[in-house]
Amino acid sequence: MRTTNQITIQDVAVGDRLPVMPKAASEAQLFLYSAASFNPHRIHYDRAYAEFEGHADLLVHGPLQGSWLTQFLTDWAGPKGRLINVNWQNRASAYPNQQVEFHGTITAVDPSTGEVEIDVHEQTDDGQVLMPGTARVRLPLGEES
Amino acid sequence: MSSSLIPDESLARVGEVLAGPVTVTIDVREAQRYAYAVGDENPAYFDQAAAEAAGYRTLTVPPTFITHAIVPPRPAGEMRTDGLYRDGTGVRLEVSRMMFGGEEWDFLADVCAGDEITATTRLAALDQKEGSKGPFVRQVRETTYVNQDGTEVARSRQIGIAK
């Protein structure tokens, strides 16, 4: 859900957890992402081929999970926040029609610059970590929102 | 000492430009199709007033959209059996498969619809490392993105672990 309030550096502290963001993709959404990213790789839309290559099912694209992660951060940062750094590692596959969750915990706060460091990860709903990472967000300082 | 997974000819390519420079105009409809495909309905991607209220000059785009905006049109005849296009920028390695990958991004300045982005990709690093299950190769491809004013707007590193 998009936040309508603008979060500022005054509102955050080390240890704070970001609201968990759920995501899931249907087969049609995987196809749409392949189209929108100009990617014809069959493992994302041709189930028989994905299984022939040894996968359990169609695969959710790594970059799609990356964009889910950036959305998790930009939604939390609000309109005036800016994502300034993100990194992730794709450790295990995600599949269509499987709910995943994005989690974040604040690890550092700099009130003078508005920069926040966050440990992030994508996991299945039973706790398997698919994609760990970190991020830095710059929030407004809070004098004028 | 295990044998090298990295041929000398590939080691010599570290620092080499693999792709680009290529310049594209950020297309608002492509960016919106991308945002909807992600399920990201951030008003700043769709509504001019919302974009300006957020401090953008005009509509902005999902942060990693620029890596997809630079994908070139390719003829169908250049597709492999697996659907991927034959990649002339591949670096030869003595490995069987990609184990996993990751990305690192620095976002340095806002990117907006209509911006002209020039992207250049280099082979930034190629290292063989010893893991608990034997040797593996870590390859890093770095892309720099510069806008029409010469401002670097983003840097990305794509990391591949193969063995």
Side-chain angles (χ1 to χ4, degrees):
Chain A
M1 246 358 224
R2 273 208 63 68
T3 177
T4 52
N5 295 321
Q6 175 61 55
I7 196 171
T8 76
I9 197 67
Q10 317 285 343
D11 303 319
V12 301
V14 172
D16 283 359
R17 294 188 178 197
L18 279 58
V20 173
M21 181 185 84
K23 277 288 189 185
S26 64
E27 290 88 339
Q29 286 173 297
L30 292 187
F31 166 76
L32 199 56
Y33 185 84
S34 291
S37 59
F38 320 113
N39 180 356
H41 200 178
R42 290 165 75 183
I43 59 174
H44 302 299
Y45 62 84
D46 182 338
R47 183 172 269 119
Y49 186 81
E51 291 170 0
F52 165 73
E53 277 213 359
H55 303 292
D57 196 348
L58 298 176
L59 295 187
V60 177
H61 318 62
L64 171 54
Q65 294 168 70
S67 281
W68 283 345
L69 175 58
T70 64
Q71 178 185 354
F72 172 60
L73 294 159
T74 56
D75 279 358
W76 175 76
K80 294 208 169 111
R82 292 294 186 268
L83 178 63
I84 55 180
N85 170 274
V86 68
N87 67 78
W88 69 81
Q89 298 90 51
N90 297 102
R91 294 283 180 175
S93 299
Y95 303 107
N97 309 308
Q98 169 197 51
Q99 172 147 313
V100 296
E101 301 174 349
F102 286 82
H103 292 245
T105 304
I106 296 179
T107 57
V109 171
D110 186 338
S112 62
T113 61
E115 289 191 16
V116 178
E117 292 182 18
I118 309 166
D119 273 355
V120 294
H121 71 268
E122 175 196 20
Q123 63 174 64
T124 61
D125 59 8
D126 62 1
Q128 180 198 10
V129 174
L130 303 179
M131 194 174 82
T134 65
R136 285 205 328 275
V137 168
R138 187 185 305 119
L139 296 179
L141 296 181
E143 286 107 24
E144 22 86 10
S145 276
Chain B
M1 184 74 186
S2 47
S3 60
S4 177
L5 303 178
I6 307 174
D8 288 342
E9 72 188 30
S10 296
L11 261 184
R13 297 182 67 188
V14 174
E16 184 183 292
V17 170
L18 298 178
V22 62
T23 301
V24 300
T25 302
I26 297 302
D27 182 276
V28 65
R29 285 162 70 88
E30 281 190 5
Q32 290 173 344
R33 287 187 216 282
Y34 182 85
Y36 278 142
V38 171
D40 187 349
E41 299 185 12
N42 187 331
Y45 306 153
F46 299 96
D47 181 84
Q48 179 71 22
E52 290 179 19
Y56 298 98
R57 176 177 47 83
T58 182
L59 298 177
T60 188
V61 301
T64 58
F65 170 71
I66 48 179
T67 195
H68 305 291
I70 63 173
V71 172
R74 299 280 299 273
E78 293 179 12
M79 271 199 293
R80 308 182 327 194
T81 309
D82 63 2
L84 288 172
Y85 291 105
R86 286 194 290 278
D87 183 6
T89 73
V91 176
R92 196 169 73 81
L93 298 170
E94 300 299 328
V95 295
S96 306
R97 66 186 195 109
M98 171 78 75
M99 300 303 294
F100 63 87
E103 295 190 22
E104 299 175 2
W105 283 82
D106 292 310
F107 303 107
L108 306 168
D110 294 344
V111 175
C112 292
D115 283 351
E116 285 193 1
I117 302 297
T118 299
T120 306
T121 300
R122 283 185 175 74
L123 179 61
L126 200 52
D127 301 294
Q128 177 165 332
K129 298 182 185 297
E130 242 354 271
S132 54
K133 295 178 188 170
F136 62 93
V137 177
R138 179 176 179 270
Q139 176 179 163
V140 182
R141 297 163 57 113
E142 181 169 286
T143 303
T144 58
Y145 302 85
V146 177
N147 73 10
Q148 61 275 12
D149 300 325
T151 302
E152 190 179 17
V153 297
R155 268 192 304 265
S156 71
R157 279 170 295 284
Q158 292 179 312
I159 297 138
I161 304 292
K163 59 189 297 186

